[in-house]
């Protein structure tokens, strides 16, 4: 399974906007350029775990949200995981 960097970038953009931060503000907090943040949000550049971890700190969220779309702390997380596993079963299982 390969990472969908475009989807990760969209989730970063969504969280950034929800936090009321601009790309410029996020870039400043991460000590990177605005262009780099833009590339991350568009999925043009692959994000490394160190930067992703810093983004989580700045935006106050769980890293799993960016990768899976669901934070492990959410109450619906386990339910969603069970539904995924259940849907993969065949008739005999």
């Amino acid at each position: 399974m390969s990472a969908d960097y475009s989807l990760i970038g969209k989730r970063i953009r969504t969280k950034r906007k929800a936090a009321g931060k601009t790309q410029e503000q996020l870039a400043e907090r991460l000590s990177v350029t605005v262009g780099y943040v833009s590339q991350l949000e568009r999925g043009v550049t692959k994000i490394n775990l160190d930067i992703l971890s810093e983004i989580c700190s700045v935006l106050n969220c769980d890293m799993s949200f960016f990768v899976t779309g669901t934070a492990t702390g959410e109450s619906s997380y386990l339910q969603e995981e069970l539904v995924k596993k259940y849907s993969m079963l065949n008739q005999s299982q």
Side-chain angles (χ1 to χ4, degrees):
M1 179 176 102
S2 63
D4 186 342
Y5 294 101
S6 177
L7 191 54
I8 292 170
K10 287 178 185 177
R11 290 176 181 145
I12 292 170
R13 182 184 312 114
T14 299
K15 280 288 188 185
R16 174 183 58 78
K17 288 184 176 185
K21 298 198 180 302
T22 64
Q23 285 184 337
E24 292 82 9
Q25 291 169 323
L26 182 57
E28 186 175 314
R29 292 284 307 273
L30 300 173
S31 299
V32 298
T33 66
V34 174
Y36 181 71
V37 171
S38 175
Q39 289 177 350
L40 290 176
E41 289 186 355
R42 291 181 287 129
V44 174
T45 299
K46 293 180 178 181
I47 192 166
N48 70 48
L49 290 177
D50 292 331
I51 292 291
L52 188 57
S53 178
E54 288 182 50
I55 291 171
C56 291
S57 294
V58 172
L59 300 179
N60 194 30
C61 62
D62 191 35
M63 192 181 295
S64 64
F65 170 77
F66 295 123
V67 179
T68 67
T70 305
T72 55
E74 292 179 9
S75 61
S76 63
Y77 173 73
L78 287 177
Q79 181 180 354
E80 290 176 20
E81 287 300 306
L82 287 172
V83 169
K84 283 180 195 176
K85 298 287 184 191
Y86 181 77
S87 67
M88 293 172 21
L89 298 174
N90 63 36
Q91 275 300 49
S92 65
Q93 293 173 318

